[in-house]
Amino acid sequence: MRIAVISDVHANLVALEAVLAHAGEVDAFWNIGDCVGYGPQPAECVSRLREAGAAWVAGNHERAATGAISTDEFNPSAAAAALWTRGRLSGEEKAFLDELPETETRGDFTLVHGTLRWPIWEYLDDYDTARAHLALLKTRYSFVGHTHVPALVTERLDAPEGCEMRRLRDGETVDLGSERLVLNPGSVGQPRDGDKRAAYGILDTDAATFTLRRVEYDIAATQRLMVDAGLPEWLIERLEIGR
Ligand code: ZN
């Protein structure tokens, strides 16, 4: 099976369409959360991924978009965008988002937006968090999102930290062996690793590999829609610097 693994689309339909075209024929889509929030086309992104039959776990932005959680913990731009997003989704779409689980298991893989300790909120970006996540992981591999930075964690019980962590670059292929791994495909719609191109990954279960990919999209087109929607300026600017 060839599976496109995407995360943090953030209502950026232009980026999502570029990723879907770039991925080509796949057998499945796995969406690691935050399909909405920040960007200008939340309803369109939700429909596109429902149409694709994506496996889908909830992120903090799905929960904020439906009102299931408050935006008190969000920074001011994110809160403004979340409130704007609420007004753009139908009751049926919000009900769909509210039904999304916080974790999903697909074969050897567990999908969760943040970490297994705190599924929609925690950033898996240091050793302590990685160890806590691995301690709760019941499958060999897992996919997380939320940080918007493509990354790989390899469990190494003999290492002082208990694991190794590093970023993943465009085109890099990870072999899935006997070690337990955490993979982060980065963000489709709002990359934050200094590379403004959309990020996603291809999981090939026959070859037992995961390949990180980056794809250019028309950033200016998304920015124009955000200006028209009156979304916060920083959210518009950050797309072109990838931060
Ligand atoms: Zn996000």
Side-chain angles (χ1 to χ4, degrees), residues 23-221:
E25 271 297 298
V26 292
D27 301 298
F29 293 95
W30 291 355
N31 173 17
I32 319 298
D34 278 6
C35 177
V36 300
Y38 298 136
Q41 296 185 284
E44 292 85 344
C45 288
V46 170
S47 324
R48 192 72 180 85
L49 288 176
R50 286 177 80 177
E51 230 172 73
W56 192 331
V57 289
N60 50 318
H61 283 266
E62 272 95 1
R63 294 295 188 242
T66 67
I69 60 169
S70 90
T71 56
D72 295 352
E73 306 278 316
F74 282 51
N75 67 52
S77 323
L83 293 176
W84 179 86
T85 302
R86 269 182 209 174
R88 303 287 299 227
L89 296 171
S90 70
E92 193 275 333
E93 284 159 344
K94 287 181 194 167
F96 168 80
L97 295 179
D98 273 336
E99 288 293 308
L100 293 173
E102 290 187 345
T103 61
E104 273 282 349
T105 304
R106 289 281 188 280
D108 282 338
F109 296 83
T110 300
L111 322 182
V112 62
H113 184 64
T115 69
L116 288 169
R117 181 164 67 178
W118 204 2
I120 64 168
W121 278 114
E122 190 168 46
Y123 291 95
L124 202 162
D125 59 0
D126 61 33
Y127 291 115
D128 281 347
T129 315
R131 273 196 304 271
H133 175 84
L134 285 164
L136 294 167
L137 183 63
K138 294 193 173 75
T139 57
R140 186 174 301 169
Y141 311 116
S142 72
F143 280 106
V144 300
H146 198 37
T147 64
H148 298 207
V149 175
L152 166 69
V153 175
T154 309
E155 184 174 55
R156 297 232 192 272
L157 297 172
D158 54 344
E161 314 286 4
C163 57
E164 283 171 4
M165 287 182 88
R166 63 181 185 83
R167 291 186 175 197
L168 287 175
R169 294 181 310 274
D170 183 24
E172 201 172 335
T173 293
V174 176
D175 288 313
L176 308 176
S178 57
E179 283 160 320
R180 300 208 308 158
L181 304 178
V182 186
L183 294 152
N184 186 324
S187 170
V188 171
Q190 194 202 75
R192 293 182 191 161
D193 61 341
D195 184 337
K196 63 190 178 186
R197 296 175 297 170
Y200 74 103
I202 294 285
L203 172 66
D204 184 328
T205 58
D206 300 321
T209 56
F210 173 78
T211 304
L212 197 277
R213 291 175 148 195
R214 303 302 287 248
V215 55
E216 307 253 5
Y217 73 95
D218 188 350
I219 294 172

